[in-house]
């Protein structure tokens, strides 16, 4: 064990009162969180919702509810990451030139360099791993079983475990805000800065364990989704009929399953350096800090495609629905997804072209990177041909999908520029690169926001407000343009990234424009929250039948909206790639099963939540070096897993009569919704289940 | 449905449990690891120490695959086996390309010499 600087006690480890930061911004955030927490807890107690929360959400193994919880975690973290972005923009607009004023102890701007470094590290870590990844995993969780006609995931218990491990990672990052500090070494963990000699505090440990624990959850989730897609397809759902989103989910989870272990190893070796004094990545004693970059990006680049491929899948579902045409080039779309997934494994070195590899090595990775453009180009043309001569309707999901297409063009073409090592040498580490990968991640964000709007009625039974959704879209897009075009420009002018102070006052106009863009994002968030509120308030006026958009195509739209907990009353038989279109053409839309059967369902369990809580103890103990907590949590996790393996009563049966009754109620609700757009009761996924889980 | 009323102990993957194979794999792994340790401690013991170590490692992996993981082409295990085989190209790409880069990187950056 390595001896660390500062006091240590057997009970509290490195934790002391000094760990509470005395920064007024953090104090403000703390008060905000406490007030919000009191309001939420107060409401739960006042409305007597604790039992409901426990039974219906915290102990659930239902893939839709788990998916919704993933998305909620992701949206909360998206907001936190956005606040970090707001802080960075504000710092750069204030700290411009030698005469710029300083506030709150900073020489320029209002953030001292050490704090600024933590803000950008947190922003990157949160946005990639705790916003984009959970929301995508959540959407796959909700949609994939429905698209393939399954009742749940292959391993519902494992699914819940993945959720709670992700939640632990997010919780550790939030804890770091109020107790100790966060890593200041960038979201990638720049070595040797992450080594104990240069980062003796707990910040790097928070970063490391948050990622390590949540990535275990993501890996388990990937195995689960792959098993689900391979083994749980309904009769007739052949590989050639698999909806395109499910195909991209399969390719993306193959990437996750193969690449996340590399991240685990890289962080594990870093952990050995920090805790046991080994020298894998140290700058000396035989350590090789370049090996860390190599290992990190060996995961990092596949991770980029892990987030982009589901977004491509979402666009491929939304565009045909709102063009009222089948997807153009289904086979090439599938092939392109797998080609991108395959090539993702041989391009990682382009993240460090300037490290000093030989021209031949750089050339190989440059060519491999450009090859990605071919399948991506195939996809772009396929989407364009799908829209061509279709009956296009620009409802909110379609706006997001088309917006994503434009982002992909800008991000993709600048990516091609960066794929050339000579260009890369001149703009490496500039904000041009930052603008490029943000435009690419905007493809993901646009895809996600489109998909959330698109599938929301399937889960909740009512549509989100259209006009507010469109305002959200336009303000968001205006914000994107205002932030990232000036960023591309200033990057080309030579502005490097991660600057807490800009020495060149000529950059000020660009910073002002970006700050205005952030303001537009803020307005868009207001419209998003208002959209959610208004839609929830007016839900009875916006209720939908099974096919929420009137032109949906795939199997999930055959099930009633909102989907009952068992998904399909009778396992569907699939006849075509666009099953709902086939049924519509055969006059079978809305057909009712002749008779119902008993449905075996997985029983709720608190075990994943318990393991999650213990993992939080483990992570917290490791960060603060409280060995008793670490040992206790670790042993308890193992014992819990063993104890759970003895539980035999993990399923229950929903009787056929019960299924028939629920289906009848749902059909009545849908019929009434279709007749007068009102009076159907409640939100099914939000109301207590009628059979005991 | 993964969740049905069947006895989980009758699941084909659970049925693969085999005490004798586990013990055999454990004993073989212990012997081979001891041999590897011996070669590492006394490299002069055999003519080509690195080749010998690699051979021992390969043998250990093979024994674990056959006896511990029981990968074969039966209908129960075919997906696992194919997944395992498909991981090989990734292994070759990841390790091979890294080796290729580091091969010239040390000479070009001279960092390794500085780091010792």
């Amino acid at each position: 064990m390595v001896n660390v600087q500062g006091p240590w006690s057997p009970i509290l480890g490195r934790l002391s009162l000094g760990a509470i930061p005395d920064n007024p911004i953090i104090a403000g955030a703390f008060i905000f969180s406490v007030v919000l927490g009191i309001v939420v807890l107060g409401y739960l107690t006042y409305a007597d919702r604790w039992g409901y929360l426990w039974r219906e959400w915290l102990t659930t193994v239902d893939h839709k509810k788990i998916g919704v919880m993933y998305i909620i975690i992701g949206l909360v973290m998206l907001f936190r990451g956005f606040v970090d972005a707001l802080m960075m923009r504000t710092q750069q607009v204030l700290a411009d030139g030698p005469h710029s004023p300083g506030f709150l102890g900073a020489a320029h701007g209002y953030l001292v360099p050490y704090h600024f470094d933590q803000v950008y590290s947190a922003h990157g870590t949160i946005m990639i791993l705790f916003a984009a990844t959970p929301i995508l995993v959540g959407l796959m969780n909700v949609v994939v079983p429905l698209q393939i006609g399954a009742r749940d995931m292959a391993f519902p218990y494992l699914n819940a475990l993945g959720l709670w491990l992700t939640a632990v990672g997010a919780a550790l990052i939030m804890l770091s805000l109020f107790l100790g500090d966060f890593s200041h070494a960038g979201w990638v963990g720049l070595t040797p800065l992450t080594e104990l000699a240069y980062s003796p505090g707990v910040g790097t440990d928070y970063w490391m364990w948050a990622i390590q624990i949540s990535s275990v959850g993501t890996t388990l989730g990937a195995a689960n989704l792959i098993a689900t897609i391979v083994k749980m397809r309904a009769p007739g759902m052949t590989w050639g009929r698999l909806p395109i989103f499910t195909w991209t989910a399969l390719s993306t989870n193959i990437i996750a399953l193969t690449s996340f272990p590399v991240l685990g190893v890289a962080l594990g070796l870093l952990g050995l350096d920090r805790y046991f004094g080994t020298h894998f990545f140290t700058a000396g004693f035989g350590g090789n800090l370049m090996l860390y970059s190599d290992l990190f990006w060996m995961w990092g680049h596949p991770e980029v495609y892990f987030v982009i491929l589901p977004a491509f899948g979402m666009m491929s579902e939304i565009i045909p629905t709102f063009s009222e045409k089948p997807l153009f080039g289904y086979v090439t779309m599938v092939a392109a997804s797998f080609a991108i997934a395959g090539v993702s494994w041989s391009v990682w070195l382009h993240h460090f072209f300037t490290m000093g590899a030989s021209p031949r090595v750089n050339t190989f990775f440059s060519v491999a990177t450009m090859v990605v453009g071919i399948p991506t180009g195939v996809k772009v043309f396929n989407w364009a041909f799908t829209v061509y001569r279709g009956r296009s309707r620009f409802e909110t999901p379609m706006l997001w999908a088309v917006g994503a297409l434009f982002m992909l063009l800008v991000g993709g073409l600048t990516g091609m520029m960066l794929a050339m090592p000579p260009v890369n040498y001149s703009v490496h580490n500039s904000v041009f690169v930052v603008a490029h990968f943000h435009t690419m991640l905007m493809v993901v964000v646009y895809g996600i926001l489109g998909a959330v709007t698109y599938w929301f009625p399937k889960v909740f039974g009512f549509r989100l407000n259209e006009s507010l959704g469109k305002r959200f879209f336009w303000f968001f897009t205006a914000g994107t343009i205002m932030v990232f075009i000036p960023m591309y420009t200033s990057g080309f002018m030579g502005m490097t990234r991660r600057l807490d102070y800009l020495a060149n006052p000529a950059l000020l106009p660009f910073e002002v424009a970006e700050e205005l863009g952030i303001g537009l994002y803020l307005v868009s968030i207001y419209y998003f929250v208002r959209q959610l509120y208004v839609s929830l308030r007016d839900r009875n006026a916006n209720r939908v039948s099974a096919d929420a958009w009137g032109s949906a195509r795939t199997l999930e739209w055959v099930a009633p909206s909102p989907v009952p907990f068992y998904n399909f009353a009778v396992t569907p038989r699939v006849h075509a790639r666009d099953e709902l279109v086939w049924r519509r053409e055969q006059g079978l839309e809305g057909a009712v099963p002749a008779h119902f059967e008993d449905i075996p369902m997985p029983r709720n369990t608190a075990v994943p939540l318990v393991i999650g809580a213990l993992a939080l103890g483990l992570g917290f103990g490791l960060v603060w070096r409280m060995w008793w907590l670490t040992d206790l949590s670790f042993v308890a996790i193992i014992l819990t897993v063993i104890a759970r393996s003895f539980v035999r009563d993990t399923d229950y049966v929903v009787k056929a009569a019960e299924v028939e009754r629920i289906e009848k109620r749902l059909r009545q609700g849908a019929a009434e919704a279709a007749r007068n757009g009102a009076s159907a009761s409640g939100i099914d996924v939000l109301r207590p289940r009628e059979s005991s889980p | 449905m993964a969740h049905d009323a069947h006895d989980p102990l009758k699941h084909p993957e659970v049925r693969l449990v085999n005490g004798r194979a586990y013990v055999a794999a454990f004993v073989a792994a212990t012997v081979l690891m001891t041999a590897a340790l011996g070669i590492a401690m006394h490299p002069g013991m055999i003519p080509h120490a690195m080749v010998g170590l690699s051979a021992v490692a390969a043998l250990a992996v093979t024994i674990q695959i056959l006896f511990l993981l029981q990968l074969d082409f039966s209908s129960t295990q075919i997906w696992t086996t194919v997944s395992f085989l498909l991981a090989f190209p990734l292994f070759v790409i990841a390790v091979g390309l890294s080796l290729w880069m580091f091969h010239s990187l040390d000479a070009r950056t001279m960092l390794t010499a500085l780091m010792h």
Side-chain angles (χ1 to χ4, degrees), chain A residues 385-427:
Chain A
F385 284 130
T386 306
V387 179
Y388 179 64
R389 302 193 74 172
R391 283 189 291 268
S392 300
R393 290 174 6 233
F394 287 92
E395 283 161 90
T396 321
M398 183 66 161
L399 285 180
W400 287 114
V402 174
L405 199 54
F406 278 95
M407 291 297 144
L408 180 61
L409 285 178
V410 178
L413 290 173
T414 51
M416 282 295 130
M417 293 166 71
L418 289 167
M420 302 172 205
V423 178
N424 204 292
Y425 261 84
S426 55
V427 293

Side-chain angles (χ1 to χ4, degrees), chain A residues 558-621:
Chain A
V558 171
S561 310
V563 188
F565 60 90
Y566 48 75
N567 291 357
F568 298 91
V570 174
T571 300
R573 182 164 288 280
V574 182
H575 309 83
R577 191 174 289 160
D578 288 335
E579 177 66 13
L580 182 58
V581 175
W582 184 88
R583 291 193 184 197
R584 212 181 276 140
E585 285 167 359
Q586 306 293 321
L588 294 170
E589 199 184 9
V592 184
H595 74 283
F596 295 89
E597 286 174 0
D598 291 356
I599 300 176
M601 291 299 291
R603 202 183 275 284
N604 279 11
T605 168
V607 176
L609 183 66
V610 170
I611 294 178
L614 293 169
L616 183 63
L618 179 65
F620 192 77

Side-chain angles (χ1 to χ4, degrees), chain A residues 151 154 156 230 258 284-287 290-291 294 298 345 348-349 352 355-358 360 364 648 651, chain B residues 1-4 7-9 79 90 93-94 97-98 100-102 104-106 108-109 111-112 115-116:
Chain A
R151 294 214 185 284
V230 172
T258 49
F285 303 105
M290 293 180 288
L291 183 62
D294 192 57
M298 208 180 276
W345 264 89
W348 79 88
L349 191 131
F352 44 95
M355 195 159 86
S358 75
R360 283 176 195 206
F364 173 88
R648 301 292 293 274
D651 304 283
Chain B
M1 276 305 297
H3 282 259
D4 50 23
D7 184 356
L9 293 180
W79 276 95
L90 293 184
I93 289 172
L97 290 178
S98 293
W100 185 36
M101 178 191 66
F102 278 106
S104 62
L105 193 66
D106 286 347
R108 297 172 64 81
T109 60
L111 258 177
T112 316
M115 287 188 292
H116 278 288

